Amino acid sequence: MKRALFSLLLAVFIFGAGCDSGSDYTAGPASAEQEETVIDLDSPTGGFSLSDEEPAFGEADLYTYSKDEKVYDDEINNDPVMERYRNRNRKGVKRFRLRAIWGKLPGSYQDSSSADCCGLDWSGSLTFNRGIVVIEKLIAFEPGDYITRKDRSTIEWVSNTCPHVDGIQVRLIAPPAFADCDSVNTDSTRIAEPALTISTGPYTKSFTLEELEALELIEPVDRCGNGIALNSYIRYPGCPTGHLLGKWKSIEPDTIPSDSTSSGGTEKILLGYFRGVWLGENGRIGGYLKGAYGQNSSGESVFFGKYIDFKGRFKGLLKGYYEVSPVDTFAYSPPRGIFRGRWFNRNLTPQGSLKGDWVTDTEGNGFFHGRWIKNCLDNL
């Protein structure tokens, strides 16, 4: 049976983190019951403190180390051509990072029987036209699943999902518009703008360079909950950027009396929680997230969260808005939407922006996938 991306050990809100720099550790966020005592959707902080925490929010005993995200030693890093593009400041070179996760997305963090997992063969390829693909991670690949390289621009894989997910994390390097005569390009003609194509049995799509600068999508492929999540960003000098992902859980609405009801406000409604990990600029897991979402007394759909590093040190307060996407009446469309926000330091000074997508099944079990950027608020 396919393991979840991150191990679940207790109740519906236990979320297990992946690996960073190859070292083992344990991690775990607070339970839903504990969260309910602090959430305040009208508060500037959502009820979260701005202080340090115990490592893994003080509940490391609820977690085990998960090895579902494995760093990949790509042979392309030893290719002499790569020496031309290692300098981040080389003029005209564009660099991207892409994460692709496929399978039963809403059930990624749930225990599930293989009898009803709706397995799919996702074997396929990724081609970055006239560019270089560097494999950074294999996500939840099991024995029997594998990845191979066809050339500098194309990788191929065998992947079968049941009941959870597989995926990859890659760097994409787009050469300058005019290239030297080297082994990447055998003439000095103008290079066509590279385009990315992902091709699998249930899903195939191409993307331009412009789309890769801020790509975010979750697309279902069948009525079982199988789908693909794609998220990529361009790496701007001086603007650290990374991904964030985890579990998005909706609950039965929990109405909380509001202090402002006497002045025309409405009641606050807690609608769900999220748990996740923060991926650093190097693509490795660098910390943990926990948060909640719902409607404040003004009727706004808001979320709040907290980000800490491995030692429990406060790294940021997350806050923003989320939306539910309209139901597509022409195809299967599970509950899904977007979130947009910023993260703040202890002085509540903006440090950066974050955004992404979420999806759930009819029972409220879900998944979110997004990205963050520091210093450059307008570049996300």
Side-chain angles (χ1 to χ4, degrees):
M1 177 182 293
K2 185 73 66 177
R3 295 184 303 157
L5 277 177
F6 304 97
S7 302
L8 285 173
L9 296 182
L10 185 65
V12 296
F13 291 107
I14 302 305
F15 175 81
C19 55
D20 178 56
S21 304
S23 60
D24 290 2
Y25 61 86
T26 58
S31 68
E33 290 74 19
Q34 291 171 314
E35 282 289 341
E36 289 179 345
T37 65
V38 300
I39 298 302
D40 182 355
L41 300 176
D42 280 346
S43 166
T45 67
F48 290 95
S49 74
L50 305 179
S51 61
D52 294 342
E53 300 274 355
E54 293 182 42
F57 294 108
E59 294 189 340
D61 58 314
L62 302 180
Y63 279 71
T64 59
Y65 170 57
S66 172
K67 297 181 179 180
D68 288 326
E69 296 212 3
K70 295 184 178 180
V71 176
Y72 187 84
D73 184 14
D74 194 343
E75 61 188 24
I76 197 68
N77 287 308
N78 300 319
D79 193 313
V81 173
M82 287 293 291
E83 292 298 324
R84 296 178 177 269
Y85 305 110
R86 294 193 194 280
N87 185 350
R88 289 191 180 186
N89 297 318
R90 178 164 180 176
K91 187 175 180 180
V93 177
K94 292 185 177 181
R95 295 174 173 82
F96 307 84
R97 177 171 281 124
L98 168 77
R99 284 177 64 91
I101 298 176
W102 54 79
K104 199 168 183 179
L105 296 176
S108 298
Y109 304 100
Q110 308 299 318
D111 292 326
S112 179
S113 168
S114 60
D116 60 355
C117 67
C118 296
L120 271 184
D121 183 353
W122 290 85
S123 301
S125 64
L126 179 150
T127 299
F128 192 41
N129 184 32
R130 296 180 182 262
I132 300 174
V133 179
V134 182
I135 308 167
E136 292 189 320
K137 287 183 181 180
L138 301 186
I139 301 170
F141 273 39
E142 286 186 330
D145 297 338
Y146 60 88
I147 196 164
T148 58
R149 177 174 294 280
K150 182 177 180 181
D151 52 42
R152 294 185 181 95
S153 301
T154 302
I155 57 175
E156 300 174 331
W157 58 81
V158 170
S159 166
N160 291 274
T161 58
C162 180
H164 300 298
V165 297
D166 282 354
I168 56 174
Q169 177 178 300
V170 298
R171 278 186 293 133
L172 305 172
I173 301 173
F178 288 94
D180 301 326
C181 295
D182 56 28
S183 55
V184 174
N185 301 281
T186 56
D187 57 56
S188 57
T189 59
R190 183 176 180 85
I191 297 179
E193 184 181 69
L196 180 80
T197 298
I198 295 179
S199 180
T200 71
Y203 181 87
T204 296
K205 195 166 185 178
S206 295
F207 304 92
T208 65
L209 280 188
E210 183 177 2
E211 289 174 317
L212 290 175
E213 291 184 5
L215 176 63
E216 55 181 76
L217 65 83
I218 293 178
E219 292 194 15
V221 300
D222 61 23
R223 294 180 178 271
C224 288
N226 283 302
I228 188 167
L230 300 173
N231 199 293
S232 69
Y233 58 80
I234 189 169
R235 304 178 71 181
Y236 292 106
C239 300
T241 312
H243 284 107
L244 59 159
L245 70 152
K247 178 180 177 181
W248 186 277
K249 172 69 177 180
S250 65
I251 62 172
E252 288 294 324
D254 185 2
T255 302
I256 305 171
S258 172
D259 296 335
S260 63
T261 54
S262 60
S263 59
T266 62
E267 293 178 312
K268 296 172 284 189
I269 305 175
L270 184 63
L271 293 174
Y273 301 92
F274 60 87
R275 301 290 186 271
V277 291
W278 184 283
L279 303 188
E281 188 182 14
N282 61 1
R284 308 288 182 87
I285 296 174
Y288 312 111
L289 312 173
K290 70 173 182 178
Y293 63 91
Q295 291 183 355
N296 62 20
S297 61
S298 297
E300 299 169 316
S301 297
V302 298
F303 74 84
F304 292 91
K306 188 171 182 177
Y307 159 40
I308 61 173
D309 67 11
F310 292 139
K311 295 183 178 181
R313 292 174 296 195
F314 176 88
K315 301 297 291 184
L317 172 74
L318 316 180
K319 58 188 298 185
Y321 299 88
Y322 74 96
E323 297 178 7
V324 179
S325 299
V327 175
D328 185 351
T329 58
F330 299 100
Y332 171 66
S333 183
R336 53 180 171 160
I338 62 173
F339 61 90
R340 302 286 186 268
R342 290 188 173 183
W343 53 289
F344 302 78
N345 62 16
R346 281 195 173 96
N347 297 322
L348 297 184
T349 301
Q351 300 298 294
S353 299
L354 55 120
K355 64 189 300 188
D357 298 84
W358 58 268
V359 62
T360 67
D361 60 20
T362 55
E363 297 180 352
N365 300 314
F367 168 83
F368 75 89
H369 204 194
R371 62 190 188 279
W372 60 266
I373 190 169
K374 184 177 181 180
N375 300 331
C376 308
L377 298 178
D378 297 329
N379 288 341
L380 189 61

